[in-house]
Amino acid sequence: MIFRDKTIICSGCGKSFIFSSFDQKFFHSQGFHSEPKRCLECREKHSRDTNQASAKPPINEQVSPQAIESHAEHVAGFESFGLTPNVLAGVRLSGYTIPTQIQSKAIPYVLAGNDVIGLAQTGTGKTAAFVLPMLNRLESHRQGNVRGLVISPTRELAEQTNEAIASLGRRTGIRAISLYGGVGMFQQMRSLRDGVDIVVACPGRLLDHVWQGSVDLSSVEMLVIDEADRMFDMGFLPDIQNILRCLPQKKQTLLFSATMPDDVRKLVQTYLQNPVTVQIGQAAPASSVAQSFYPVKQHLKSALLLDLLRQIKTDSVVVFTRTKYRAERLTEQLKESGFKVASLQGNLAQSRRQSAIDSFRRGKVKILVATDIASRGIDVLRISHVINYDMPDTTDAYTHRIGRTGRIDQTGEAFTFICPEDAGMVHDIERLLGKKVERRMLQGFNYDVEAPKAVKVRRPIANDRIEQRSAAKGVSDKRAPYRRAARQVSPQTRQS
Ligand code: AMP
């Protein structure tokens, strides 16, 4: 869709105002299809009046299509939340003009001191939905001890949240630190000793610091458990429970999650006090992402990927594999075929992961081959395509993977390679979407190439030695011809 600046006459004050192409794109990506009838000032005034009329927003709000339409009409700027001037300055400097749905809905509850459950996927602006109220609360009486704690499932997400705090809080003087494994503890300890207001941490490293006595969590007033469903998938439940035991009883707790599996529900029942639930649509892939399935045999996936990358017009692409080994191998294959590519998977040291993300963000490499663990932290706006080289294990992982594209005001495409053994997941994804996903064949691609014959390989090096020993002893070696045949198999065939 093409967006051009429009001039509209405000139905409130009668003056004309510009509905910019950027704002149109943003409105469109948020599901609003009508244009605002009032200018920003009148919308803000309207929203202030409405807020005053109903002092507290309704509890457990679910968003209906009608509510979305009228929300478009009521979208007020960040000014209507009553944030401090320094926090508002950070919002402006970060380039945010209109709050996203999750921000509009969650921020008033959080500022009012409620425990909140935010059911929203990544890419909806959920980070600012908790960062802004946290900055607002902590700025009022800074003390230099840890009063805000954000727990993140991955290093990348922790780093991204820390960056959001630095950007939005640049005028507040609030100090934040991210704590995760894979980098030395000493530097982190020194920063903690210097005094920080907010800690953003992965569970394991946070507990290391608690046990070392290098972090004191007894003053935490506000806790955020981010991407809780992911945290449980990764087996962090015992760690979370240990962390919760170190925190004061009296605090405000916010929990953000794309889905609400039983484990998360139990945690909520145990640790959150009368929480308000704010839900933004279904935990389904954003409508700004066009999805298609490419049926293909397992052994042809790499060839199909290479042809696809040569044929289609892409900007930045993320390719997902199931395992670290497959990510490494595919990265090598793509490099050998002349593509600029980096890999992002758990085997890499933190510094190499960061440099892979940085090169990708700056456009130095156009293709990133990643595993699921890495996927949540990739916050790059220009990702035009997500390619699922391997089918993910859950529909939730599918949603998160393809959510790397089509972010905020962009559109994107997601291709998933499907093999006969993926039938169960194909069914689950289509049920989640409530429609069939288009099947596509790549023109000119030879789908009939047979799989190479599997040859049993019997540890050639050990076998060489057996043969040499038999020859030395003058003993007949009946299996020697088979060993020789195995040695003639090329190293490439052996790998696959
Ligand atoms: P998140 O869902 O928090 O990961 O945010 C996704 C992206 O949206 C990030 O790049 C944010 O900087 C950006 N973002 C968040 N809120 C807004 C907003 N109100 N206006 C424009 N961009 C935003």
Side-chain angles (χ1 to χ4, degrees):
M1 185 172 290
I2 298 164
F3 298 99
R4 290 207 181 82
D5 289 1
K6 268 187 202 169
T7 306
I8 298 176
I9 306 292
C10 171
S11 63
C13 61
K15 292 186 195 144
S16 64
F17 68 95
I18 305 284
F19 186 34
S20 71
S21 59
F22 179 84
D23 285 348
Q24 288 171 40
K25 264 193 248 171
F26 183 74
F27 266 56
H28 190 78
S29 72
Q30 294 290 297
F32 309 143
H33 300 296
S34 61
E35 54 195 28
K37 296 185 181 65
R38 299 184 181 92
C39 65
L40 189 59
E41 285 87 64
C42 289
R43 268 183 272 153
E44 279 175 15
K45 185 173 175 299
H46 181 91
S47 165
R48 269 197 303 276
D49 295 347
T50 319
N51 280 350
Q52 274 160 15
S54 56
K56 238 180 160 207
I59 301 287
N60 285 341
E61 213 165 328
Q62 300 272 332
V63 186
S64 68
Q66 290 82 354
I68 290 172
E69 280 302 316
S70 67
H71 177 69
E73 173 65 3
H74 295 160
V75 169
F78 285 92
E79 289 77 5
S80 66
F81 295 132
L83 297 165
T84 66
N86 285 334
V87 177
L88 272 179
V91 169
R92 257 195 310 276
L93 292 167
S94 301
Y96 300 177
T97 47
I98 305 170
T100 65
Q101 282 188 61
I102 185 75
Q103 291 161 4
S104 296
K105 299 205 167 286
I107 289 175
Y109 290 119
V110 185
L111 285 173
N114 293 290
D115 280 5
V116 171
I117 303 167
L119 292 176
Q121 46 192 118
T122 45
T124 55
K126 70 176 168 57
T127 314
F130 64 78
V131 166
L132 291 173
M134 188 180 265
L135 291 169
N136 213 66
R137 177 175 181 154
L138 304 193
E139 195 205 354
S140 52
H141 46 289
R142 277 175 53 219
Q143 295 163 3
N145 46 7
V146 182
R147 291 162 57 222
L149 174 64
V150 182
I151 310 179
S152 303
T154 63
R155 302 158 184 198
E156 286 78 15
L157 186 65
E159 200 46 61
Q160 188 183 310
T161 305
N162 192 30
E163 281 167 19
I165 296 172
S167 172
L168 294 165
R170 67 184 90 178
R171 288 282 169 84
T172 61
I174 284 181
R175 288 196 284 181
I177 184 180
S178 52
L179 305 175
Y180 44 76
V183 292
M185 281 196 56
F186 184 69
Q187 179 63 38
Q188 297 178 345
M189 284 174 168
R190 228 179 23 204
S191 306
L192 284 166
R193 252 201 316 270
D194 290 347
V196 291
D197 305 286
I198 302 175
V199 164
V200 186
C202 294
R205 179 52 67 100
L206 180 60
L207 282 174
D208 289 345
H209 280 287
V210 169
W211 290 325
Q212 293 270 342
S214 42
V215 68
D216 174 8
L217 300 179
S218 63
S219 308
V220 169
E221 295 170 20
M222 210 169 166
L223 165 72
V224 179
I225 304 174
D226 198 8
E227 302 207 340
D229 51 349
R230 182 71 167 172
M231 210 94 78
F232 288 96
D233 275 359
M234 293 169 70
F236 283 140
L237 178 59
D239 285 354
I240 303 277
Q241 283 168 332
N242 281 331
I243 293 167
L244 283 162
R245 282 189 207 109
C246 305
L247 301 177
Q249 201 72 27
K250 193 167 166 291
K251 64 184 171 306
Q252 184 180 16
T253 306
L254 317 176
L255 179 140
F256 285 83
S257 195
T259 57
M260 213 33 170
D262 283 347
D263 281 338
V264 178
R265 215 175 283 280
K266 274 186 217 141
L267 188 88
V268 162
Q269 282 159 3
T270 318
Y271 293 103
L272 272 70
Q273 308 280 322
N274 302 322
V276 176
T277 303
V278 178
Q279 181 166 10
I280 302 305
Q282 264 278 309
S287 56
S288 51
V289 182
Q291 299 161 63
S292 37
F293 288 163
Y294 280 81
V296 61
K297 291 179 195 144
Q298 193 63 250
H299 68 279
L300 292 178
K301 279 183 174 181
S302 298
L304 179 65
L305 179 69
L306 289 170
D307 273 17
L308 202 56
L309 290 171
R310 285 186 194 114
Q311 282 193 29
I312 57 171
K313 206 172 158 306
T314 59
D315 191 344
S316 294
V317 183
V318 183
V319 181
F320 282 104
T321 64
R322 202 174 39 241
T323 64
K324 299 172 196 171
Y325 170 70
R326 285 166 78 80
E328 269 168 34
R329 204 180 57 164
L330 188 60
T331 306
E332 286 315 309
Q333 285 173 332
L334 289 168
K335 274 186 189 158
E336 278 165 22
S337 303
F339 289 99
K340 287 199 169 145
V341 54
S343 87
L344 189 67
Q345 34 85 7
N347 273 353
L348 299 176
Q350 181 56 27
S351 55
R352 287 192 56 204
R353 282 206 215 182
Q354 197 56 51
S355 101
I357 293 185
D358 288 346
S359 310
F360 186 62
R361 193 171 278 149
R362 275 190 259 112
K364 259 172 71 185
V365 297
K366 288 289 184 191
I367 302 171
L368 191 68
V369 181
T371 56
D372 279 309
I373 296 288
S375 75
R376 298 243 170 166
I378 309 168
D379 180 27
V380 177
L381 276 181
R382 286 171 299 92
I383 297 172
S384 61
H385 289 77
V386 164
I387 302 181
N388 291 316
Y389 179 88
D390 292 320
M391 179 62 99
D393 294 329
T394 60
T395 49
D396 181 36
Y398 179 80
T399 302
H400 280 280
R401 281 185 184 186
I402 76 167
R404 301 306 91 210
T405 182
R407 286 166 86 76
I408 297 286
D409 61 345
Q410 315 253 323
T411 54
E413 280 204 84
F415 301 149
T416 303
F417 291 179
I418 57 170
C419 297
E421 58 269 29
D422 298 323
M425 269 305 294
V426 167
H427 174 259
D428 289 352
I429 291 170
E430 291 185 325
R431 208 176 48 182
L432 172 77
L433 299 172
K435 62 174 185 195
K436 273 202 101 58
V437 174
E438 184 196 352
R439 267 58 167 181
R440 283 199 201 164
M441 305 285 281
L442 185 68
Q443 284 221 328
F445 182 74
N446 185 358
Y447 284 90
D448 296 326
V449 174
E450 289 294 323
K453 292 252 178 319
V455 182
K456 273 198 173 166
V457 180
R458 291 170 191 277
R459 299 174 60 202
I461 296 170
N463 290 339
D464 282 350
R465 288 200 203 106
I466 298 171
E467 230 171 274
Q468 282 160 11
R469 269 204 304 269
S470 311
K473 286 184 194 160
V475 183
S476 96
D477 178 9
K478 290 192 190 131
R479 301 200 67 81
Y482 299 103
R483 293 197 188 97
R484 265 177 232 126
R487 276 204 298 276
Q488 277 156 17
V489 178
S490 74
Q492 236 158 7
T493 322
R494 268 185 215 147
Q495 267 195 5
S496 58

